[in-house]
């Protein structure tokens, strides 16, 4: 590209989302595939600005969807049928032989304790989430592992 052509290209186009906002918008789209009737969560694993895997919460593949009518599929106010979005993203990457070491996880909510431990062991380095889920133990594990966490405020 010539110098004159590159001078015509703006470095930052007004209204263009940051990479974090862009990936979080994709997370919201992924969440629309959730099969758990209680809540819809999406997850995205990204490395070097490339999407490695996606996941959403819901029942295991090929099984009936979660049904929380009349309190079904719930134990202690938690869905016992659903796999978390983060877990499904990790599984999707593993099934396709994709390393997620050094990746960033974008997710609707911060991870729970179990997801935090899986992400630590998988070598994820950064977690960006939109809504907070109250789990001080998960945050403590992530902090101890040196994984950066960042809350990205919801966009209208």
């Amino acid at each position: 590209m010539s110098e004159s052509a590159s001078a015509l290209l703006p470095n930052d186009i007004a209204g263009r989302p940051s990479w974090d906002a862009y990936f979080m918008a994709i997370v919201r789209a992924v969440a629309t595939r959730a099969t758990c009737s209680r809540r819809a969560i999406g997850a995205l694993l990204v490395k070097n600005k490339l999407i490695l895997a996606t996941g959403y919460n819901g029942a295991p593949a090929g099984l009936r969807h979660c049904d929380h009518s009349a309190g079904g599929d719930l134990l202690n106010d938690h869905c016992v049928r659903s796999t978390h979005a983060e877990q499904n993203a990790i599984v999707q990457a593993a099934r396709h032989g994709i390393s997620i070491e050094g990746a960033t996880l974008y997710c609707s909510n911060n991870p729970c304790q179990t997801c935090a431990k899986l992400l630590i062991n998988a070598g994820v380095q950064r977690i960006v989430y939109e809504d907070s889920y109250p789990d001080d133990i998960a945050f403590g594990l992530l902090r101890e592992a040196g994984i950066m966490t960042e809350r990205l405020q919801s966009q209208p």
Side-chain angles (χ1 to χ4, degrees):
M1 181 181 302
S2 71
E3 280 186 49
S4 59
S6 64
L8 297 175
L9 296 175
N11 289 333
D12 188 27
I13 299 170
R16 187 172 187 212
S18 67
W19 283 106
D20 285 346
Y22 169 73
F23 289 127
M24 197 57 73
I26 295 171
V27 164
R28 287 191 292 275
V30 170
T32 66
R33 295 283 306 149
T35 64
C36 182
S37 60
R38 188 166 171 260
R39 74 184 327 166
I41 305 295
L44 190 69
L45 287 162
V46 174
K47 188 173 180 180
N48 299 324
K49 300 178 185 169
L50 296 174
I51 297 170
L52 303 176
T54 65
Y56 49 84
N57 62 315
L63 302 185
R64 74 167 172 81
H65 299 313
C66 309
D67 178 9
H68 302 301
S69 59
D73 293 334
L74 290 175
L75 179 64
N76 299 326
D77 201 36
H78 284 77
C79 179
V80 295
R81 195 161 184 82
S82 186
T83 303
H84 289 191
E86 304 95 320
Q87 295 166 353
N88 278 326
I90 292 167
V91 168
Q92 184 186 65
R95 286 187 71 174
H96 294 282
I98 299 168
S99 172
I100 60 172
E101 186 172 1
T104 294
L105 172 82
Y106 292 88
C107 196
S108 304
N109 292 85
N110 59 281
C112 70
Q113 294 170 40
T114 300
C115 290
K117 291 183 276 187
L118 290 171
L119 294 162
I120 291 165
N121 284 346
V124 169
Q125 291 185 341
R126 180 175 175 244
I127 297 170
V128 180
Y129 62 97
E130 201 164 53
D131 296 318
S132 188
Y133 177 82
D135 195 331
D136 292 337
I137 293 172
F139 277 117
L141 291 167
L142 295 168
R143 190 170 30 259
E144 184 179 345
I147 295 176
M148 298 182 325
T149 60
E150 181 182 342
R151 184 172 184 188
L152 188 67
Q153 296 299 318
S154 300
Q155 302 296 315

